Amino acid sequence: MEKGTWTVKKGLAEMLKGGVIMDVTTPEQAKIAEEAGACAVMALERVPADIRASGGVARMADPTVILRIMEAVTIPVMAKARIGHFVEAQILEALGVDYVDESEVLTPADEAHHINKHEFKVPFVCGARNLGEALRRIGEGAAMIRTKGEPGTGNVVEAVRHMRMVMGEIRRLQNLPKEELMSAAREMGAPFELVAQVAETGRLPVVNFAAGGIATPADAAMMMQLGCDGIFVGSGIFKSKNPAMRAKAIVAATTHYNDPKILADVSMDLDEAMPGLEMASVAPEQRMQDRGW
Amino acid sequence: MAAKVGVLALQGAFQEHQKMLADCGVESRPIRKPEELKGISSLIIPGGESTTIGKLLQDFGLFDVILQMGREGLPIFGTCAGLIMLAGEIAGSRQPRLGLMDITVERNAFGRQVDSFETDLEIPAIGQPSFRAVFIRAPYITGAGAGVEVLARHGDKIVLARQDNCLAAAFHPELTGDRRIHNYFLRM
């Protein structure tokens, strides 16, 4: 019997596919998310919109908060560690969280190195803006990828940019003759073996979710139609007027992403979405997506 | 038109089952709405989150139709979350379930993700060699009625069982490329 194998780590992400993972800060919110049909929750002290507003250094959540959320629900619980902060990740593994998100939403602890995720039994999800970044994270041991988007903005434009970028680069690789793959790997700064694998299979070797700015059922369905495997919603649920209804609607939209009639039905009477931010109003030093490489 | 296997596609690892069925030479169809159930020869309920799948089954009018088809003898194969959906009793939970099998299950019974594991199972019904089984936050069957045939155990825990037209696995045969359990189901 082997625990913490690659199959088992990647396998949990497979089970999350077609689902919605929701940011929660309290056990009550976690229950609302579970009741609405979330396939997992992300335990945090503050949602990205609040982290963005309050500034300062954002760190791993207090273990008490995470444990209370783990006790409140039966679905998987994820939690965030700072980029490169392997001790925060060790602590999260010791707490028994089901997935660690090495996340740009928190303030990076290391500007040069991400966590060596192969050393852990707990699986990791990491953000990416393009295929090279995704494959570097997978090379380090990430068992799941998500687009970075721009967290806490309620603006889907960056998530769309990143998803189109990843999908476009995969299509490009598929069309390259084999002798050009090595220089493609060098250009992307990605491990050759993974580049060759993507060129062969036409897909990332792990599950790929969309994240960063998803605020409506239509946003979620659009990301699914663009080819992602599932959805992370951060601030979009608990910064909206009616979180329970919006959560349920986004779950339904993620399942029925190709059915405009159902999408219309679930988009009705949702009350106000979270307030959004135009990207031009986000100063360069406040862009979370540029954290990590 | 050739018979098609329906794969419940509300949430979870439904694509892996569809790939597996294609490898077995069988056509399949993703099921998200009641009208899509029409004409299927059998149904797979995949792994995923059982609370999510249960709610979506009810919200989109699939629950009663599948229950009826199951009672009329439609072969149904549930893996992990699918096993939970087939169970009559779920320890400590009142979440929706089809209850087509006379079994009691415990969710996340082996622990959290860090306790998820792979192991080799002896399954006499499919013969040798042993079957590489992947358990992810898996349930197991804590009690089975007289009509239930136990097909495999991990230690003393029941992890594969059949009752008439229903087959339930606590692990994920769709993740390992070994077609023998899918082929067993297709012969049911």
Side-chain angles (χ1 to χ4, degrees), chain A residues 204-249:
Chain A
L204 278 182
V206 301
V207 167
N208 182 23
F209 271 44
I214 294 155
T216 69
D219 288 349
M222 182 189 189
M223 296 311 300
M224 292 296 287
Q225 287 195 28
L226 285 173
C228 72
D229 295 313
I231 302 290
F232 279 93
V233 189
S235 318
I237 288 173
F238 288 98
K239 284 286 158 188
S240 72
K241 274 273 168 59
N242 188 335
M245 253 173 63
R246 183 162 293 267
K248 199 172 168 196

Side-chain angles (χ1 to χ4, degrees), chain B residues 83-99:
Chain B
L83 170 148
I84 295 165
M85 293 308 306
L86 288 172
E89 284 293 325
I90 306 170
S93 172
R94 290 189 314 195
Q95 69 191 78
R97 84 287 310 257
L98 295 163

Side-chain angles (χ1 to χ4, degrees), chain A:
Chain A
M1 177 170 105
E2 286 90 35
K3 291 185 182 181
T5 62
W6 179 244
T7 307
V8 157
K9 288 174 166 181
K10 198 176 140 212
L12 178 56
E14 304 281 357
M15 299 310 138
L16 299 172
K17 283 196 302 194
V20 182
I21 301 167
M22 303 180 191
D23 277 7
V24 298
T25 58
T26 63
E28 293 71 33
Q29 288 185 354
K31 281 189 179 139
I32 291 170
E34 185 177 47
E35 188 56 37
C39 67
V41 292
M42 177 77 69
L44 289 158
E45 266 182 14
R46 289 173 294 168
V47 295
D50 289 335
I51 291 175
R52 187 176 285 288
S54 61
V57 174
R59 310 179 180 90
M60 176 187 80
D62 184 327
T64 323
V65 173
I66 298 169
L67 283 176
R68 275 205 233 111
I69 288 169
M70 285 165 61
E71 281 160 20
V73 294
T74 59
I75 56 179
V77 176
M78 302 184 165
K80 290 184 193 290
R82 282 179 268 180
I83 289 173
H85 206 313
F86 51 87
V87 174
E88 284 188 348
Q90 290 165 4
I91 291 171
L92 293 174
E93 182 176 61
L95 290 175
V97 304
D98 297 296
Y99 241 92
V100 174
D101 183 4
E102 186 182 17
S103 177
E104 66 281 4
V105 166
L106 305 182
T107 311
D110 190 324
E111 290 182 336
H113 309 288
H114 286 249
I115 298 169
N116 176 12
K117 294 164 274 286
H118 291 294
E119 282 189 359
F120 290 79
K121 277 210 167 85
V122 66
F124 282 73
V125 56
C126 288
R129 289 161 297 181
N130 52 54
L131 183 58
E133 192 172 15
L135 295 181
R136 286 191 290 279
R137 297 295 84 78
I138 296 166
E140 293 158 357
M144 179 178 183
I145 292 293
R146 54 173 176 74
T147 56
K148 285 179 164 175
E150 188 56 39
T153 59
N155 186 343
V156 80
V157 67
E158 294 300 300
V160 169
R161 184 195 317 283
H162 300 159
M163 192 56 69
R164 282 201 184 277
M165 180 66 83
V166 170
M167 294 301 178
E169 289 174 303
I170 292 175
R171 285 191 295 270
R172 177 177 161 261
L173 277 189
Q174 280 183 283
N175 289 320
L176 287 185
K178 283 211 168 69
E179 68 270 20
E180 294 183 19
L181 290 177
M182 184 58 87
S183 86
R186 186 178 64 168
E187 277 167 32
M188 280 193 274
F192 173 76
E193 296 305 325
L194 292 175
V195 169
Q197 190 183 338
V198 170
E200 175 76 30
T201 61
R203 53 163 302 137
L204 278 182
V206 301
V207 167
N208 182 23
F209 271 44
I214 294 155
T216 69
D219 288 349
M222 182 189 189
M223 296 311 300
M224 292 296 287
Q225 287 195 28
L226 285 173
C228 72
D229 295 313
I231 302 290
F232 279 93
V233 189
S235 318
I237 288 173
F238 288 98
K239 284 286 158 188
S240 72
K241 274 273 168 59
N242 188 335
M245 253 173 63
R246 183 162 293 267
K248 199 172 168 196
I250 292 178
V251 168
T254 302
T255 294
H256 294 285
Y257 65 93
N258 255 334
D259 191 324
K261 202 178 157 303
I262 292 180
L263 295 176
D265 283 347
V266 302
S267 299
M268 285 178 202
D269 300 321
L270 285 185
D271 221 330
E272 272 172 57
M274 71 178 281
L277 279 178
E278 175 55 42
M279 287 315 297
S281 70
V282 180
E285 67 276 13
Q286 287 168 351
R287 281 160 58 94
M288 292 173 172
Q289 61 176 278
D290 297 331
R291 297 164 163 181
W293 59 283

